[in-house]
Amino acid sequence: MKLLEALATTPGIPGREHRMRELIRKHTKGLFDEIIEDAMGSLICVRHPRGKDGKKKDVRDATKVMLASHMDQIGFMVKHIDDKGFVRVVPVGGFDTRNLFARLVTICPDPREPKKDITGVMNPSGKPIHIATEEEKKKIPDVGDFTIDLGMSADKVKKKVKIGDMAVLKAPVTEVGDTVVSQCLDNRIACWLAIRAMEMVKETGHDCEIHCVFTVQEEVGLRGALTSAYAVKPDIGIGIDTTLCVDTPGVPDDLRTTKQGDGAALTCMDSSVINDYDLIEEFEAVAKKHKIKYQRSILARGGTDSGAIQRAAAGTRTLTFSCPTRYIHTVTEMIHKDDMHACRDLLAAWLAQVK
Ligand SMILES: [Zn+2]
């Protein structure tokens, strides 16, 4: 939980993943043979084939596996500060504005330095319910209608905040029943899964060459995964991400995508990719052998890193490996612990058997 908590409370919008890189480097000491930071900022962490004893294995033409966990989160960039000191932002990634009312936010004037972070309050501009007309109450605002109040004079705000600064929603990581709830489990859960699965294959040994990539700028169009896939040129690419779990009231069963507690989701397709048929079957066979819960899924709309990896260079066999998540893109993203563990165990078991 400590690692997941650190990952989910460290700000990093697309293009401002500086603190995430530092955090991941800190928590992966001894796991990788080399760590390369590419021009866009993705971290490419390589582990050569190794036995149980940790010794390098001499595998000829080892299969190159790329795991892609995007480390960015949806957030905002400051676009304007008005004469009263109210801050306006643009979204970086897809927000449902109905979830943005009355939120605490953090503005990060320095992507590297948490000490300079400033807390603010986000609300839509306009009248409160007491004095709003019926027409005004019905309106769903755009992100551009929201302002951030930093509780300071305009002069003070302008000294501390500038155009292009990162802003993120502020919410804690909380255990609720058998689940974990937080903002940006999309996609810090995948960073957690990749690190934990690597720790497990370190113990079992593996014949494949693993390129564990923490990609940037996924939320604005799978950008970092594309460039890092060109750098790695993998034989197999696994995009690790959250997927919809709308097994909740008000949604018909055929739209639920996944079911909470039913295990790791093997996504057959989404709008960015149709995944490799044999890979899906291979994961299923490994899951059955190790008695790990899994489910197949299809995401009607939305893309993931595997969509970019599949089409990089001369093409790659891919699978989208998903963790069922309720309330995605809100500050209460919810994941069942059994699903977290099923994802981790299945990923590790699959890596350990790749020839
Ligand atoms: Zn995601």
Side-chain angles (χ1 to χ4, degrees):
M1 272 304 287
K2 277 243 163 68
L3 173 62
L4 185 59
E5 199 169 335
L7 289 164
T9 52
T10 298
I13 63 164
R16 303 279 189 276
E17 296 94 346
H18 304 65
R19 291 182 206 173
M20 284 302 297
R21 278 192 287 276
E22 204 175 305
L23 186 69
I24 289 164
R25 280 182 192 274
K26 192 174 125 193
H27 286 278
T28 55
K29 294 228 159 79
L31 273 183
F32 298 109
D33 294 296
E34 54 177 324
I35 297 183
I36 304 148
E37 184 179 329
D38 77 7
M40 282 185 73
S42 295
L43 276 188
I44 303 173
C45 309
V46 189
R47 184 176 167 90
H48 296 302
R50 281 174 189 277
K52 263 190 198 156
D53 50 8
K55 285 207 184 100
K56 267 195 196 173
K57 271 189 185 174
D58 193 18
V59 183
R60 278 188 71 192
D61 300 322
T63 303
K64 250 195 222 179
V65 175
M66 173 172 167
L67 303 178
S69 308
H70 74 82
M71 59 176 164
D72 58 319
Q73 71 188 95
I74 54 171
F76 312 93
M77 260 189 213
V78 172
K79 73 158 186 190
H80 179 74
I81 303 159
D82 74 15
D83 292 339
K84 290 181 185 157
F86 288 96
V87 175
R88 295 216 187 222
V89 292
V90 286
V92 194
F95 272 108
D96 179 346
T97 50
R98 290 172 300 177
N99 299 319
L100 292 180
F101 287 71
R103 293 287 171 207
L104 284 173
V105 296
T106 306
I107 293 184
C108 310
D110 184 339
R112 290 186 179 83
E113 185 43 85
K115 284 190 192 128
K116 291 186 185 160
D117 288 359
I118 308 165
T119 301
V121 174
M122 178 180 252
N123 275 298
S125 49
K127 301 169 198 159
I129 195 161
H130 317 72
I131 52 171
T133 64
E134 284 311 310
E135 216 36 52
E136 285 164 340
K137 277 186 219 168
K138 275 187 225 146
K139 201 187 156 224
I140 297 173
D142 294 326
V143 174
D145 296 327
F146 285 81
T147 57
I148 297 173
D149 186 340
L150 294 172
M152 289 186 258
S153 69
D155 277 354
K156 268 194 191 167
V157 173
K158 284 177 183 174
K159 264 186 208 136
K160 289 173 189 273
V161 179
K162 58 199 178 304
I163 309 289
D165 282 354
M166 148 166 77
V168 293
L169 297 172
K170 187 173 179 165
V173 179
T174 314
E175 289 183 62
V176 177
D178 300 320
T179 71
V180 181
V181 169
S182 175
Q183 64 137 348
C184 78
L185 288 178
D186 175 9
N187 196 28
R188 303 297 161 68
I189 191 67
C191 301
W192 182 89
L193 282 172
I195 294 171
R196 290 294 187 236
M198 289 307 297
E199 287 167 354
M200 287 172 82
V201 286
K202 191 181 169 188
E203 299 302 315
T204 56
H206 53 99
D207 288 342
C208 55
E209 185 176 291
I210 306 171
H211 293 246
C212 188
V213 186
F214 299 92
T215 63
V216 295
Q217 302 194 29
E218 190 270 355
E219 294 288 1
V220 288
L222 325 178
R223 297 178 190 174
L226 184 69
T227 54
S228 48
Y230 269 91
V232 175
K233 295 215 179 71
D235 299 303
I236 298 173
I238 310 292
I240 312 171
D241 212 320
T242 53
T243 195
L244 289 184
C245 180
V246 272
D247 57 346
T248 45
V251 185
D253 250 12
D254 65 308
L255 294 180
R256 71 181 181 204
T257 314
T258 60
K259 194 165 165 233
Q260 192 177 69
D262 270 9
L266 308 173
T267 301
C268 299
M269 72 171 278
D270 60 31
S271 33
S272 69
V273 70
I274 297 170
N275 284 305
D276 185 87
Y277 186 79
D278 294 337
L279 265 179
I280 297 171
E281 293 216 313
E282 202 178 301
F283 267 82
E284 284 180 332
V286 173
K288 280 180 193 148
K289 186 176 166 199
H290 294 268
K291 298 192 170 57
I292 301 165
K293 273 186 151 186
Y294 72 93
Q295 53 190 317
R296 286 188 175 202
S297 68
I298 285 184
L299 182 64
R301 251 189 17 229
T304 52
D305 276 348
S306 31
I309 299 166
Q310 186 179 54
R311 282 177 278 178
T316 311
R317 297 173 61 208
T318 56
L319 179 73
T320 309
F321 188 76
S322 313
C323 192
T325 307
R326 284 183 181 168
Y327 322 115
I328 288 192
H329 287 195
T330 75
V331 293
T332 57
E333 292 178 335
M334 176 190 263
I335 294 178
H336 200 286
K337 287 182 195 165
D338 288 352
D339 292 336
M340 268 167 72
H341 296 145
C343 286
R344 177 198 61 192
D345 296 349
L346 181 51
L347 190 59
W350 177 78
L351 284 167
Q353 58 82 59
V354 174
K355 286 290 164 217

